[in-house]
Amino acid sequence: MKKVLFALTILSFMNLTHTMAQELQQTIRGKVIDQDSKISLPGANVIVIDSNPLLGSSTDINGEFRIGNVPVGRVSLKISYIGYEDRIIPNILVTSGKEVLLEVEVRESLISMDEIVITAGADKSEIANEMALISARGFTVEETKRYAGSFNDPARMVSGYAGVTGDASGNNFIVVRGNSPRGIQWRLEGIEIPNPNHFSDEGATGGPINALNSEMLANSEFYSGAFAPEYGNALSGVFDMQLRKGNNEQREYSASVGILGTGLSAEGPFVKGGRASFLVNYRYSTLSILNELGVVDFDGIPKYQDLSFKINVPTKTFGTFSIFGLGGKSNILESVYDEVDEDRLLSEGDYQANMGVAGITQYWSFGTKTYLRNSVSVSQNGSGYLGYEPDSQENLIRMDEANLDKKTIKLASTLNHKVNAKHNLQLGGIYTRHNFDFYSEYFDSGEDEFVIGQNMDGDAGHYQGFISWKYRPWEDFSIVSGLHAQSTTLNSNQFLEPRLSMRWELSPRQALTAGFGIHGKLESLTNYYSIVTDDNGNTSMPNMNLDFTKARHYVLGYENKLGENLLLKMEAYYQDLYDIPVEDLSTSSYSLINQVEWFTDRKVVNEGTGKNYGLELTLERYFDNNYFFLMTASLFDSKYRAMDNIERNTAFNGNYVGNFLFGKEFEISRKLGKKKVIGFNSKVSLQGARRYTPMDIQASIEQDEAIYYESEAFSKRGDDLFMANISVVYRIDRKKTSQELKLDIQNVTNNQARLDQYYDSDTKSVEYGYQLALLPVLTYTIHF
């Protein structure tokens, strides 16, 4: 009996040890599909590279695979399928809190099946969109978390890329290759959406805080020029973001508390055993919560909240449906008091902004070579402002009011047909309908009357169509050509935009790329409906016939894979901008090429020009062996001409920008059932100063508004900008849970570069804007 008990004890101990040893393991699941036709590929092999014993799986009849017992940490997958090029997905972060869900696209090989396909190894530079061959960059949700100073925000993250400059004052304004931030387009699930930033104005593309939580993102892409034919209504850059699918087998949750927000997310199947899934995230301003609890009490509390979701519903007959949404609401009430008499109120401002989009997309396959992608979405975005000043009896009097609201319906359809491994065709159309209600006015103290800047409600339509053809005559050579066309019901203007790009693999490690494209963009609707007052006091809306703002992009690139995880990339570009709206006055230097937000108060015509040219360099070591680095450098020049025909610097002509990012992880503890990792990340940036127009200080004080020396437009420079960011991440994996504590510090040296000038009507003085001060952000997140 003692021997039996002893044996049972040993067996129980062995079983307990085995169970504990298996605690820090996770499952990787996903689907393998054809890159061009999107059909599932049964029988593909998926293995975890360097796993011992070998971990792997084959896809089933639906193209789906499952690999269990994958150790927590970072792993790489290799996908192989007969007749297709091998695909390697490097540096997948596996945590104990959530399963890893992937959708992997592989490209059909032109080499016959009995030949050996040789791959160069992991290539993170590849992107999912097979029609984009140049000036494109893929990014993962893990990167948005890893880059120091990004605050888990893709807009802040891309400022580390070559040719991209962020906004030192703290907004998410993105300058790409010397262009205005207004040239950026935001897309979600393949649909153009309103600006997804809190506290933003109509027509702007940035804001202090992004409403889209990075926890919701799947692998996404950023484009900086010579766009593929499907991308229209953009001049400088495109954020093409995708939401990930929720886990369709088990419920999973996340909760986070940080200075920038407190949020909850949930995902899982609607019905156990079903294929449909949901993913939802809600976030609320932490400072607002603390204010409501009485923990903090000060003026100017930023209040905001946002909600995002995705529902994925596969069907047997009509393909897969995705229902998605994103909404954000923000407001801030600011009071300005006299610096000497702190009880004396000088002004009060109530600012509000909101945006929302909801849509449904359908991927519908017809056989093995053709699919249709349909989508419909509705969106709303707007901003409002009420400004007050006290009168002689200390009663608050309204001095400013603005309410700019826009509602949009968008219909889109794209037909994709894969003729064979050499030819792929796309044909698509987009219809957009805007309904708007714009009103704004301010009190002009000099004229002692209110001046109306907007007072219009109505609707406007926008039509777009495109055709793309990808041709691969050889395994190492690809060409994409096509046309994009657009027109608007605002006037009779139409525009045809040819596109052409190529990629030539000189060797398994070297490639040449080239691209050309003509691109047009509608101005903000508020610019069309601006009310302009002439010298005689008469008002009109003279900008109704504005044409598209246009640009020709030329790009030449070279890539060299210097090592298994090391990529050197260079691109030279020239952009010829034309039909830029400029003030209709022969002596004027005013051009909308320098506009960032709001709307113009002048009569403008499409007779301005501009040019951007530069050279970009990227040296990147992909995350491997627990570290990565990214070095980027850009030299550029950005000029414009208005009606005075003088070539001037644009507001965004900083001439140079350089970034160095480095990160490393250390495993500090590994015990049965527990693993601890600490990571250090840094980013150092140096960029040339922005330009600004000098202000006539005396005239500004006398007229109580900013008066500029416009004959000297953008002749002054602020200070060159130095920015150092650091972040520390502490991650603990336990059975079924993963916890992360992150401290992200922007501008750790508290550098205070002088950026520009502005007139302060409260203090009746000209002030300087400075670089955002040191900003620490602490966030705790748990996945379970």
Side-chain angles (χ1 to χ4, degrees):
M1 187 67 180
K2 291 182 178 179
K3 290 183 178 180
V4 173
L5 291 174
F6 179 77
L8 291 174
T9 302
I10 293 297
L11 288 173
S12 299
F13 179 78
M14 292 174 63
N15 182 65
L16 177 62
T17 303
H18 175 76
T19 300
M20 293 180 68
Q22 296 301 314
E23 283 181 347
L24 295 186
Q25 295 178 342
Q26 189 53 274
T27 298
I28 298 179
R29 297 192 292 115
K31 188 173 185 179
V32 179
I33 61 176
D34 182 286
Q35 183 185 53
D36 297 323
S37 67
K38 310 301 181 186
I39 64 168
S40 58
L41 299 177
N45 293 317
V46 185
I47 64 169
V48 179
I49 297 175
D50 296 331
S51 57
N52 187 18
L54 182 66
L55 298 175
S57 174
S58 294
T59 56
D60 61 18
I61 192 172
N62 298 313
E64 297 176 348
F65 67 91
R66 173 191 295 271
I67 306 175
N69 302 324
V70 179
V72 167
R74 295 185 182 272
V75 301
S76 297
L77 295 184
K78 180 179 180 180
I79 298 90
S80 56
Y81 187 67
I82 295 176
Y84 282 74
E85 298 177 4
D86 288 359
R87 174 81 186 274
I88 292 179
I89 305 178
N91 186 44
I92 301 170
L93 179 60
V94 181
T95 65
S96 55
K98 286 191 175 184
E99 291 185 339
V100 178
L101 305 180
L102 302 172
E103 185 168 87
V104 184
E105 298 185 355
V106 293
R107 187 171 66 172
E108 187 175 359
S109 174
L110 296 183
I111 302 176
S112 60
M113 293 184 184
D114 58 348
E115 297 185 64
I116 299 175
V117 178
I118 300 175
T119 60
D123 186 1
K124 183 179 161 299
S125 63
E126 292 183 356
I127 62 171
N129 189 341
E130 71 273 18
M131 294 295 181
L133 302 181
I134 196 166
S135 296
R137 165 75 189 236
F139 63 89
T140 66
V141 60
E142 201 266 337
E143 282 181 289
T144 64
K145 298 178 180 180
R146 190 196 319 146
Y147 285 13
S150 68
F151 302 149
N152 298 352
D153 184 342
R156 297 182 188 276
M157 180 200 66
V158 300
S159 65
Y161 294 168
V164 183
T165 306
D167 180 60
S169 65
N171 270 315
N172 272 340
F173 294 128
I174 300 298
V175 174
V176 181
R177 294 179 171 175
N179 288 283
S180 166
R182 293 173 75 102
I184 291 285
Q185 180 184 114
W186 290 92
R187 293 166 69 99
L188 186 63
E189 292 290 289
I191 298 174
E192 182 180 353
I193 64 171
N195 174 16
N197 285 284
H198 289 299
F199 304 103
S200 64
D201 290 320
E202 161 62 23
T205 60
I209 301 171
N210 201 298
L212 182 59
N213 194 320
S214 65
E215 292 285 349
M216 297 289 294
L217 290 178
N219 290 353
S220 303
E221 289 156 7
F222 178 73
Y223 303 93
S224 56
F227 313 125
E230 67 181 279
Y231 297 112
N233 201 33
L235 280 185
S236 63
V238 177
F239 276 97
D240 197 350
M241 300 180 296
Q242 302 294 322
L243 298 176
R244 63 184 181 87
K245 299 174 183 176
N247 194 321
N248 64 350
E249 293 188 1
Q250 64 183 38
R251 296 285 174 89
E252 295 176 335
Y253 306 91
S254 295
S256 64
V257 180
I259 293 176
L260 292 183
T262 297
L264 297 170
S265 66
E267 60 183 288
F270 283 98
V271 179
K272 190 173 182 179
R275 297 177 61 84
S277 66
F278 71 88
L279 172 66
V280 61
N281 176 268
Y282 175 74
R283 182 174 56 173
Y284 195 85
S285 165
T286 302
L287 287 177
S288 181
I289 295 175
L290 295 177
N291 179 65
E292 291 167 5
L293 293 175
V295 178
V296 298
D297 183 18
F298 58 87
D299 289 322
I301 293 286
K303 299 180 180 181
Y304 56 90
Q305 55 185 319
D306 47 65
L307 174 73
S308 52
F309 67 89
K310 180 175 180 177
I311 299 171
N312 191 67
V313 184
T315 68
K316 292 183 179 180
T317 306
F318 298 104
T320 298
F321 291 87
S322 293
I323 305 168
F324 69 94
L326 169 65
K329 187 175 183 180
S330 55
N331 72 281
I332 186 170
L333 181 64
E334 291 185 306
S335 301
V336 178
Y337 292 87
D338 189 276
E339 294 181 358
V340 178
D341 183 0
E342 296 182 355
D343 293 326
R344 182 189 170 209
L345 180 67
L346 297 179
S347 66
E348 186 174 273
D350 185 4
Y351 177 81
Q352 299 182 2
N354 56 79
M355 67 81 58
V357 59
I360 181 170
T361 62
Q362 176 196 31
Y363 276 99
W364 194 2
S365 294
F366 300 93
T368 61
K369 294 183 177 296
T370 305
Y371 73 86
L372 187 64
R373 185 181 187 278
N374 299 314
S375 64
V376 57
S377 68
V378 293
S379 63
Q380 186 275 336
N381 65 295
S383 60
Y385 180 76
L386 287 172
Y388 302 91
E389 291 183 6
D391 61 12
S392 57
Q393 283 76 42
E394 301 299 319
N395 297 313
L396 288 178
I397 305 299
R398 179 178 59 86
M399 303 295 287
D400 301 91
E401 181 178 355
N403 189 19
L404 308 177
D405 287 312
K406 182 175 67 179
K407 297 178 177 65
T408 301
I409 299 176
K410 192 177 292 288
L411 305 173
S413 184
T414 299
L415 179 67
N416 191 100
H417 179 65
K418 178 181 178 180
V419 180
N420 51 42
K422 291 186 176 183
H423 300 274
N424 194 48
L425 297 174
Q426 276 187 355
L427 178 67
I430 305 168
Y431 171 68
T432 305
R433 190 72 178 179
H434 300 291
N435 290 89
F436 55 87
D437 187 358
F438 298 151
Y439 182 80
S440 72
E441 66 174 1
Y442 70 94
F443 185 76
D444 188 329
S445 57
E447 299 294 331
D448 195 31
E449 63 180 10
F450 278 93
V451 176
I452 296 177
Q454 297 275 319
N455 188 17
M456 185 68 182
D457 63 273
D459 55 65
H462 184 206
Y463 299 88
Q464 298 179 75
F466 66 89
I467 183 170
S468 302
W469 171 40
K470 183 176 182 180
Y471 177 45
R472 295 174 64 205
W474 309 288
E475 188 81 13
D476 54 9
F477 190 79
S478 299
I479 299 175
V480 171
S481 59
L483 290 172
H484 187 100
Q486 53 183 329
S487 64
T488 175
T489 60
L490 288 166
N491 44 52
S492 60
N493 294 317
Q494 301 176 349
F495 191 41
L496 190 64
E497 309 166 10
R499 316 279 175 86
L500 179 66
S501 61
M502 58 80 66
R503 181 180 179 87
W504 181 17
E505 304 280 350
L506 301 174
S507 71
R509 293 189 177 274
Q510 297 186 74
L512 284 177
T513 56
F516 166 77
I518 297 180
H519 309 274
K521 187 180 189 308
L522 276 174
E523 286 296 327
S524 169
L525 288 183
T526 50
N527 280 329
Y528 288 88
Y529 294 102
S530 295
I531 296 176
V532 178
T533 304
D534 63 21
D535 295 336
N536 298 320
N538 300 314
T539 61
S540 63
M541 289 190 294
N543 301 327
M544 291 296 299
N545 289 317
L546 278 180
D547 200 353
F548 296 94
T549 302
K550 302 165 186 172
R552 302 181 186 94
H553 290 191
Y554 306 84
V555 186
L556 182 65
Y558 170 74
E559 297 177 12
N560 192 331
K561 298 173 187 175
L562 301 176
E564 188 71 15
N565 295 291
L566 188 63
L567 174 69
L568 172 67
K569 181 177 180 179
M570 294 183 288
E571 283 194 348
Y573 65 89
Y574 180 83
Q575 298 179 348
D576 176 25
L577 286 73
Y578 61 104
D579 285 354
I580 308 297
V582 294
E583 185 176 16
D584 190 15
L585 185 63
S586 61
T587 58
S588 176
S589 63
Y590 180 84
S591 172
L592 290 191
I593 202 172
N594 300 299
Q595 192 179 47
V596 174
E597 53 188 343
W598 209 232
F599 55 87
T600 185
D601 59 355
R602 312 189 190 197
K603 178 183 178 182
V604 292
V605 292
N606 293 96
E607 296 188 22
T609 60
K611 62 181 180 182
N612 305 312
Y613 57 92
L615 180 65
E616 301 168 356
L617 174 68
T618 299
L619 180 64
E620 180 172 13
R621 187 193 189 276
Y622 305 138
F623 198 105
D624 188 60
N625 292 329
N626 297 318
Y627 80 96
F628 83 99
F629 68 78
L630 172 65
M631 298 176 61
T632 63
S634 307
L635 298 174
F636 64 97
D637 200 26
S638 178
K639 305 285 190 181
Y640 81 99
R641 288 181 187 270
M643 289 294 284
D644 62 3
N645 203 33
I646 298 175
E647 185 175 71
R648 305 175 186 273
N649 294 297
T650 68
F652 318 105
N653 192 16
N655 294 127
Y656 74 91
V657 58
N659 300 286
F660 177 69
L661 292 84
F662 177 81
K664 185 169 178 60
E665 286 186 353
F666 299 90
E667 184 178 303
I668 58 177
S669 176
R670 179 187 287 268
K671 299 178 181 178
L672 292 178
K674 191 175 185 179
K675 179 182 177 182
K676 299 179 180 179
V677 174
I678 190 167
F680 299 93
N681 297 286
S682 62
K683 177 185 176 184
V684 177
S685 300
L686 183 65
Q687 64 187 51
R690 296 281 181 90
R691 315 273 179 161
Y692 66 90
T693 301
M695 193 178 296
D696 186 333
I697 299 176
Q698 189 60 40
S700 298
I701 294 174
E702 290 175 358
Q703 299 185 39
D704 197 26
E705 62 177 333
I707 305 297
Y708 297 95
Y709 291 110
E710 294 198 359
S711 61
E712 302 176 30
F714 304 104
S715 60
K716 297 294 184 181
R717 301 191 65 165
D719 298 332
D720 287 349
L721 177 70
F722 173 79
M723 176 81 79
N725 305 328
I726 62 172
S727 69
V728 182
V729 182
Y730 180 55
R731 188 171 64 249
I732 302 176
D733 283 298
R734 290 188 174 92
K735 185 178 181 180
K736 300 299 183 181
T737 66
S738 178
Q739 301 175 74
E740 183 178 279
L741 183 65
K742 180 179 181 181
L743 176 62
D744 202 342
I745 306 176
Q746 185 169 278
N747 193 14
V748 67
T749 64
N750 200 31
N751 187 54
Q752 290 291 280
R754 183 178 289 184
L755 303 178
D756 52 22
Q757 284 183 327
Y758 67 95
Y759 179 74
D760 189 330
S761 59
D762 294 319
T763 61
K764 313 299 182 185
S765 63
V766 175
E767 306 287 350
Y768 285 97
Y770 291 89
Q771 176 182 354
L772 184 68
L774 181 148
L775 178 61
V777 174
L778 184 65
T779 306
Y780 169 77
T781 305
I782 181 171
H783 305 286
F784 57 97

